[in-house]
Amino acid sequence: MFGFHYRLERHSIALAVAIILVASVGGAVEIAPLFTIDETVEHAPDMRLYTPLELAGREVYIREGCYACHSQMIRTLRDEVERYGPYSLAAESQYDHPMLWGSKRTGPDLARIGGKYSDEWHFAHLFNPREVVPESVMPAYRWLSRNELSTDDLGRYLAALRKVGVPYSDDMVAHAADDAHGQATPDSARARGVAGRYGEPTNIRAFDGDPGRLTEMDAVIAYLQILGQLTKAAYGSAPDAGE
Amino acid sequence: MVAQLTQFERRLALIIAGLMALCGLVLAAFGHRDPIGVHGLIILAAAIGTMFVVISGSFADVPDDSHLGRYYDDPIKVGVVLAMGWAVFAMAVGDWVAWLLAYPEMTFDAAWSGFGRLRPMHTTGIIFGFGGNALIATSFHVMQRTSRARMPDQLSPWFVLLGYNLFCILAVTGYPMGITQSKEYAEPEWYADIWLVIVWVVYLALYLRTLARRQEPHIYVANWYYLAFILVVAVLHIVNNLAMPIALASAKSFPIFAGVQDAMTQWWYGHNAVAFFLTAGFLGMMYYYLPTRSGRPIFSYRLSIISFWGITFFYMWAGSHHLHYTALPHWVQTLGMTFSAMLLVPSWASAGNALLTLNGAWHKVRDDATLRFMMVAAVFYGLSTFEGSFMAIRPVNSLSHYTDWTVAHVHAGALGWVALITFGAIYALVPILWKRQGMYSSALVEVHFWLALAGTLVYVFAMWNSGLVQGLMWRTYSASGTLAYSFVESLVAMHPYYIARAVGGLLFLSGAVVGCINIWMTARHAPGTAQDAVRDRPLVILASRSLEPGE
Ligand code: HEM
Ligand code: HEM
C-alpha cells in the first residue's frame, strides 16, 4: 500500500484524480438516493403553495437573516414536540427553495408559528420586540413597515420556481403582482382572485392593519402566519401535541 | 507589481481587465433597478483600477531573465497583508455581533446593520477573506519551495489573488444590501459564484503547472492537502450553488433543490467546507511551517498518508450529523454519525503527527512564540475534532444542536486551530518574504500569543457553559411533568455568557491588531538579511548556471 502511494505521489494528475474519486463516494451514496426513494418525502395531497405575498415575505425573512436565529425544524424529541408542536415532516418543506431549517436557536423555532399570535402582535413585535417581550434580544425591524413592497419581480419569482419544480400555474404566474396586492386588500376584486387561485382558507386581510398600503411588513406577517399551515399532514399523526 | 510582468502578460492583463469592465458595465446598465447594479459598478471600478495600474506600470522595462532564478513572492506579500486586513475587519464585525446578542440596541435603525445581515459578514469575511487569503498566500509559498520551482508565469497568481478578493468583496457588500442565498457559508448569489469558479479553475491550473515544473520527484505532503482543498472545494461549491436566477439582470435566484434534498446538499457542503477549507488547507500549512520552523522532519510519513486519505474519504460522509432527528431519512443520519466517529482516527493521527514532530524541539516551543502558535493550534485541532466526533453522536447532538455549544465548537476550531496556525505560519513567513532576520519584535509576537490564547479560552468556555445551560433548560421537566422553563427564561440565563464571549473576542481581536503592527514594522524597519537569499532559490537556474563558462 505504501509502495503504491510512493508511486502515486510522483504524478500530480493521478493524485488529483484519486482525490476526486475518493471524495465523491460519500456524497454520491448519501445524496443521490434522496431523489429517488419514495419514502424520503411523505405524500401530502392537501399541500398548498405559497401565495406571491407569502413568498415575498419569505424573501424578506431570507434577506434579513431571520434564519440565523430561528430554526424551522422541530426534531422528533419529546420536549421539542411539547414546546413547539408536532415534529416537522419532509413534505412540509418540499417546495422550499431553499429550505430554512436553520442551525441555531437564538430565538424559538418558527416552524409552527402560523396562527399562534395575532397580526397585531407580530406587528408590534417586529416593530420593537422589547415592547412586547422586555428580555428579548431580537433586533427591531422598524423599516419593514416603512418600506413599500416591490411587486415587480413576483411574476418572475413564480416563473423561476416553476422551472425548478414548484407547480405554479400560468394563471398564478400571470397574476402574481395583483395577487400580492389582493391578499392584503380584503373585499376587493383582486382579493377574490387570490382565494380562487390558492384556495378558500388563504388568509386575506390587511396584515399590517393598513389596507391602503402594501408594505414589507404585510409580506412578512403573511408568511409567518402560514408557517406550519400549508398542510395538515403533520397534525394527523400526533393529534394530542401542539395546538 | 507590473514591472515583473512580461510584455505579453501586461497585454493579457489589460484584455482581462477590459472584459471585466465590460461585464461590470453590462450588469450596472441592465441591473440599475436591482442591487446587482451596484455590484456591476464595483466590478467596473475594480477593472478600471486594474487597467490604470497596468497601464501606468507598463512604462517600466520588461524584466530580464535573471528574475527566473528567484521565486515569485510579490503576490504572497500582498496576500498576507490582505489576510490580516480581512482578519481585523471580520473579527471586529464578529465582536459587534457578539455584543448585539447582549445589548440588541447597539446598532442603527437601518436595515444594513441588522444582526442577520452582519452575521454572514463575519462568517464570510473571516472564513473566506482571512482564511482564504492566508491559504492562497501560503500555498503559493509552499508549492514553490517544496517543488524548488518558480511559478510558471507572473499573471495567474495575481489573477487568482485579486479575483478571489473581488469575490469576497462582492459577498460582503451584498449582505448589507440584502443579497443572500441564505445557505450558510454559501450566501453569495449566482454571479459571484460563477466568478469564483473561474478564479478557482485558474488556481488549480496554476498549482498543477507549478507541480509539473518541480525538481523533486515526490510531491510533498503539504501539497496533497492544498490540492485536496482546491479540488474538493470546487466540487462542493458547484453542486451546492446550482440555482435558477429570476433574470440575468437580477441578483435573485432560487436554488434548484428544495426541502430535505436541499438540506442534505447544504450540509454535505457545509460540513466539507469545514473539512476542506478550514481543515485540509490549514493542515497543508501545518505540514510545511511546523517542520521548517522547528527544524525537525515530520514524525511519520506513513501516518501522513493514512490520515490524508482517511480525512479525504470519511469527511464526505459526515455532513448528515448536522441533521440529526430532523426529517432527513434515518439511515442517512446513522451513516453520518458512524463516519463522524471514525473520522476521529485520521484527525488525531494528524494532530499526533504534528505534536510528535516537535519531539526534540520542545525547548524551541518554549522560547519561540511563533512555534508555540503552531503547537497550540495542533492541540486545539485535536480537541475540536474530538468534540466534533462526540457531538455527532445522536443523543449528544439532541442536547447540543441549535445551542451555543455548536458555537463553542466552531470557535474552538476557528480561533484555536484555524486562526492560531495561520498566525504561526504568517510569523514564520513574513521574515522570509521581506528578507528580514526575524520579526520586528518577538516580544509583540509573545503578546499576540497570550492575547489570542486568553481570548480563545474565554470565548470557548463561555459558550460551552451557555450551550449546556441552554440545552438543559429546554429539556428540563418540572415535577408535574410539564416543561420547567419558558424560552425567554433560557434567554435571560445566556446574558452573562454573551458578555464574557464578547470580551474574549475583544482580546482575540486586539491580538490580531498587535500582529498587524508587528508585520508592518517588519516590512518597513526590521534589519535585512542576505544570508538566506542564496539558499532560497529555485533549482532550475542553479542547475543551468553551473553549465555557464567560467563558473
Ligand atoms: C474576535 C473573534 C471572534 C468573535 C468575537 C466572533 C463572534 C461570533 C459570533 C457572535 C457569532 C454568532 C453566534 C451566534 O449566532 O450565536 C459567530 C459565528 C461564527 N463565527 Fe465567529 N467570532 C470570532 C472569530 C471567528 C473566527 C476566527 C472564525 C473562523 C476562522 C469564526 C467563524 C465563525 C463561524 C463559522 C460562525 C457561524 C457558527 C454557526 O453557524 O454555528 N469566528 N462568531
Ligand atoms: C472530526 C472532526 C469534526 C467533527 C466530527 C465535527 C462535527 C460537528 C458537529 C456534530 C457539529 C454540530 C452540528 C449541529 O448540531 O448542527 C459541528 C458543527 C460545526 N463544526 Fe465541526 N466537527 C469536526 C471538526 C471541526 C473543525 C476542525 C472545525 C474548524 C473550524 C469545525 C467547524 C464547525 C462549524 C463551523 C460548525 C457549525 C456549522 C453550523 O451549524 O453552521 N468542525 N461539527
Coordinates of all heavy atoms in Angstrom, one line a residue, chain A residues 68 103-104 106, chain B residues 91 94-95 97-98 101 115 119 122-123 126-127 130 184-185 278 404 406-407 410-411 414-415 418-419 459 501 505-506 508-509, ligand 1:
Chain A
A68 N -30.8 33.1 10.8 CA -29.6 33.0 11.6 C -30.0 32.8 13.1 O -29.1 32.3 13.9 CB -28.7 34.2 11.4
S103 N -29.8 26.4 11.9 CA -28.9 25.5 12.7 C -28.7 26.1 14.1 O -27.9 25.6 14.9 CB -27.5 25.4 12.0 OG -26.9 26.6 12.0
K104 N -29.4 27.2 14.4 CA -29.1 27.9 15.7 C -30.4 28.5 16.2 O -31.2 29.1 15.4 CB -28.1 29.0 15.4 CG -27.7 29.8 16.7 CD -26.8 29.1 17.6 CE -26.8 29.5 19.0 NZ -27.1 30.9 19.3
T106 N -31.2 31.0 18.6 CA -31.1 32.2 19.5 C -32.5 32.6 19.9 O -32.7 33.0 21.0 CB -30.4 33.3 18.8 OG1 -29.1 32.8 18.4 CG2 -30.1 34.5 19.7
Chain B
M91 N -13.2 40.1 12.4 CA -13.3 39.9 13.8 C -14.0 41.1 14.5 O -14.7 40.9 15.5 CB -11.9 39.7 14.4 CG -11.4 38.3 14.1 SD -9.8 38.2 14.8 CE -9.1 36.8 13.9
G94 N -17.5 40.4 14.0 CA -17.9 39.3 14.8 C -18.1 39.8 16.3 O -19.0 39.4 16.9
D95 N -17.2 40.7 16.7 CA -17.4 41.2 18.1 C -18.6 42.1 18.2 O -19.3 42.0 19.2 CB -16.1 41.9 18.5 CG -16.0 41.8 20.1 OD1 -16.1 40.7 20.6 OD2 -15.7 42.8 20.7
V97 N -21.3 41.7 16.5 CA -22.4 40.8 16.5 C -22.5 40.1 17.9 O -23.6 40.0 18.4 CB -22.2 39.7 15.4 CG1 -23.1 38.5 15.6 CG2 -22.3 40.2 14.0
A98 N -21.4 39.9 18.5 CA -21.4 39.3 19.9 C -22.0 40.2 20.9 O -22.8 39.8 21.7 CB -20.0 38.9 20.3
L101 N -25.9 40.4 20.8 CA -26.6 39.4 21.5 C -26.8 39.7 23.0 O -27.7 39.2 23.6 CB -26.0 38.0 21.3 CG -26.2 37.5 19.9 CD1 -25.5 36.1 19.7 CD2 -27.7 37.3 19.5
F115 N -28.7 42.3 12.8 CA -27.9 41.1 13.2 C -27.8 40.1 12.0 O -26.7 39.6 11.7 CB -28.6 40.4 14.4 CG -27.9 39.2 14.8 CD1 -26.9 39.2 15.8 CD2 -28.2 37.9 14.3 CE1 -26.3 38.1 16.2 CE2 -27.6 36.8 14.7 CZ -26.6 36.9 15.7
R119 N -24.1 39.1 10.6 CA -23.5 37.8 10.9 C -22.8 37.1 9.7 O -21.7 36.7 9.9 CB -24.6 36.9 11.5 CG -24.1 35.6 12.2 CD -25.3 34.8 12.6 NE -25.0 33.7 13.5 CZ -24.7 32.5 13.1 NH1 -24.6 32.2 11.8 NH2 -24.4 31.5 13.9
H122 N -19.5 38.6 9.1 CA -18.5 38.0 9.9 C -18.0 36.7 9.4 O -16.8 36.5 9.2 CB -19.0 37.8 11.4 CG -18.2 36.9 12.2 ND1 -16.9 37.1 12.5 CD2 -18.5 35.8 12.9 CE1 -16.4 36.2 13.2 NE2 -17.4 35.3 13.5
T123 N -19.0 35.7 9.1 CA -18.5 34.4 8.8 C -17.8 34.4 7.4 O -16.8 33.8 7.2 CB -19.7 33.4 8.7 OG1 -20.7 33.9 7.9 CG2 -20.3 33.2 10.1
I126 N -14.4 36.2 7.7 CA -13.3 35.5 8.4 C -12.9 34.3 7.7 O -11.8 34.0 7.5 CB -13.8 35.3 9.9 CG1 -12.5 35.1 10.7 CG2 -14.6 34.1 10.0 CD1 -11.9 36.3 11.2
I127 N -13.9 33.5 7.2 CA -13.6 32.2 6.6 C -12.9 32.4 5.2 O -11.8 32.0 4.9 CB -14.8 31.3 6.4 CG1 -15.4 30.9 7.8 CG2 -14.4 30.0 5.7 CD1 -16.6 30.1 7.7
F130 N -10.2 36.1 5.5 CA -9.0 35.8 6.2 C -8.4 34.5 5.9 O -7.3 34.3 5.4 CB -9.3 35.9 7.7 CG -8.3 35.4 8.7 CD1 -7.0 35.9 8.7 CD2 -8.6 34.3 9.5 CE1 -6.0 35.3 9.6 CE2 -7.7 33.8 10.4 CZ -6.4 34.3 10.4
E184 N -25.8 28.7 4.6 CA -24.7 29.1 5.4 C -23.4 28.7 4.8 O -23.2 27.6 4.3 CB -24.8 28.3 6.8 CG -25.5 29.2 7.9 CD -25.3 28.6 9.2 OE1 -26.1 27.7 9.5 OE2 -24.5 29.0 10.0
Y185 N -22.5 29.7 4.7 CA -21.2 29.6 4.1 C -21.2 29.6 2.6 O -20.2 29.4 1.9 CB -20.3 28.5 4.7 CG -20.5 28.3 6.2 CD1 -20.9 27.1 6.7 CD2 -20.3 29.4 7.0 CE1 -21.1 27.0 8.1 CE2 -20.5 29.3 8.4 CZ -20.9 28.1 8.9 OH -21.1 28.0 10.2
L278 N -11.5 24.7 6.1 CA -10.9 25.0 7.4 C -10.0 24.0 7.9 O -9.4 24.1 9.0 CB -12.1 25.3 8.4 CG -12.9 26.5 8.1 CD1 -14.0 26.7 9.1 CD2 -12.1 27.8 8.0
D404 N -25.6 27.1 21.8 CA -24.3 27.8 21.8 C -23.2 26.7 21.9 O -22.0 27.1 21.7 CB -24.2 28.8 22.9 CG -24.9 30.1 22.6 OD1 -25.0 30.4 21.4 OD2 -25.4 30.7 23.6
T406 N -22.7 24.4 19.8 CA -22.2 24.4 18.5 C -21.2 25.6 18.2 O -20.1 25.5 17.7 CB -23.3 24.5 17.4 OG1 -24.2 23.4 17.7 CG2 -22.8 24.3 16.0
V407 N -21.6 26.8 18.7 CA -20.8 28.0 18.5 C -19.5 27.8 19.3 O -18.4 28.2 18.8 CB -21.6 29.2 19.0 CG1 -20.7 30.5 18.9 CG2 -22.8 29.4 18.2
V410 N -17.4 25.5 17.1 CA -17.0 26.3 15.9 C -15.7 27.1 16.3 O -14.7 27.1 15.5 CB -18.1 27.2 15.4 CG1 -17.5 28.1 14.3 CG2 -19.2 26.4 14.9
H411 N -15.8 27.8 17.4 CA -14.7 28.8 17.6 C -13.5 28.1 18.3 O -12.4 28.6 18.2 CB -15.3 30.0 18.4 CG -16.1 30.9 17.6 ND1 -17.4 30.7 17.4 CD2 -15.8 31.9 16.8 CE1 -17.9 31.6 16.5 NE2 -16.9 32.4 16.2
A414 N -12.1 27.4 15.1 CA -11.8 28.5 14.3 C -10.8 29.4 14.9 O -9.8 29.8 14.2 CB -13.1 29.3 14.0
L415 N -10.9 29.7 16.2 CA -9.9 30.5 16.9 C -8.7 29.6 17.2 O -7.6 30.0 16.8 CB -10.5 31.1 18.1 CG -11.7 32.0 18.0 CD1 -12.1 32.4 19.4 CD2 -11.4 33.2 17.2
V418 N -7.7 27.2 13.4 CA -7.5 27.9 12.1 C -6.7 29.2 12.3 O -5.7 29.4 11.6 CB -8.9 28.2 11.5 CG1 -8.8 29.1 10.3 CG2 -9.6 26.9 11.0
A419 N -7.2 30.0 13.2 CA -6.5 31.3 13.4 C -5.1 31.2 13.9 O -4.2 31.8 13.5 CB -7.3 32.3 14.2
Y459 N -13.7 32.8 25.3 CA -14.8 32.6 24.3 C -15.3 31.2 24.4 O -16.5 31.0 24.6 CB -14.2 32.8 22.9 CG -15.3 32.9 21.8 CD1 -15.4 34.0 21.0 CD2 -16.2 31.9 21.6 CE1 -16.4 34.1 20.0 CE2 -17.2 32.0 20.7 CZ -17.3 33.1 19.8 OH -18.2 33.2 18.9
R501 N -18.3 36.3 26.3 CA -17.8 35.9 25.0 C -17.3 37.1 24.2 O -16.3 37.1 23.5 CB -18.9 35.2 24.2 CG -18.6 34.7 22.8 CD -19.2 35.6 21.7 NE -20.6 35.7 21.8 CZ -21.4 34.9 21.2 NH1 -21.0 33.9 20.5 NH2 -22.7 35.2 21.2
G505 N -13.7 37.8 22.7 CA -13.5 38.2 21.3 C -12.6 39.5 21.2 O -11.8 39.6 20.3
L506 N -12.9 40.4 22.1 CA -12.1 41.6 22.0 C -10.6 41.4 22.3 O -9.8 42.0 21.6 CB -12.7 42.6 23.1 CG -12.6 44.1 22.8 CD1 -13.3 44.4 21.5 CD2 -13.4 44.8 23.9
F508 N -9.1 38.6 21.6 CA -8.5 38.0 20.4 C -8.3 39.0 19.3 O -7.3 39.0 18.6 CB -9.5 36.9 19.9 CG -8.9 35.9 19.0 CD1 -8.3 34.7 19.6 CD2 -8.9 36.0 17.7 CE1 -7.7 33.8 18.8 CE2 -8.3 35.1 16.9 CZ -7.7 33.9 17.4
L509 N -9.2 39.9 19.1 CA -9.1 40.9 18.1 C -7.9 41.8 18.4 O -7.2 42.1 17.4 CB -10.4 41.7 18.1 CG -10.4 43.0 17.2 CD1 -10.2 42.7 15.8 CD2 -11.8 43.7 17.4
Ligands
HEM1 C1 -12.8 38.1 17.5 C2 -13.1 36.9 17.4 C3 -14.5 36.4 17.1 C4 -15.7 36.8 17.6 C5 -16.0 37.8 18.7 C6 -16.7 36.0 16.9 C7 -18.1 36.1 17.2 C8 -19.1 35.4 16.6 C9 -20.5 35.4 16.9 C10 -21.1 36.4 17.9 C11 -21.1 34.6 16.1 C12 -22.6 34.3 16.0 C13 -23.0 33.3 17.0 C14 -24.5 33.1 17.1 O1 -25.2 33.3 16.2 O2 -24.9 32.8 18.2 C15 -20.1 33.9 15.3 C16 -20.4 32.9 14.4 C17 -19.4 32.3 13.6 N1 -18.0 32.5 13.6 FE1 -17.1 33.9 14.8 N2 -16.1 35.2 16.0 C18 -14.7 35.4 16.1 C19 -13.8 34.8 15.3 C20 -14.0 33.8 14.3 C21 -13.0 33.2 13.5 C22 -11.5 33.5 13.6 C23 -13.7 32.3 12.7 C24 -13.2 31.4 11.6 C25 -12.0 31.2 11.2 C26 -15.1 32.4 13.0 C27 -16.1 31.6 12.4 C28 -17.4 31.7 12.7 C29 -18.4 30.8 12.2 C30 -18.1 29.7 11.1 C31 -19.7 31.2 12.7 C32 -21.0 30.5 12.5 C33 -21.3 29.5 13.5 C34 -22.6 28.7 13.3 O3 -23.4 29.0 12.4 O4 -22.9 27.8 14.1 N3 -15.3 33.3 14.0 N4 -18.9 34.4 15.6

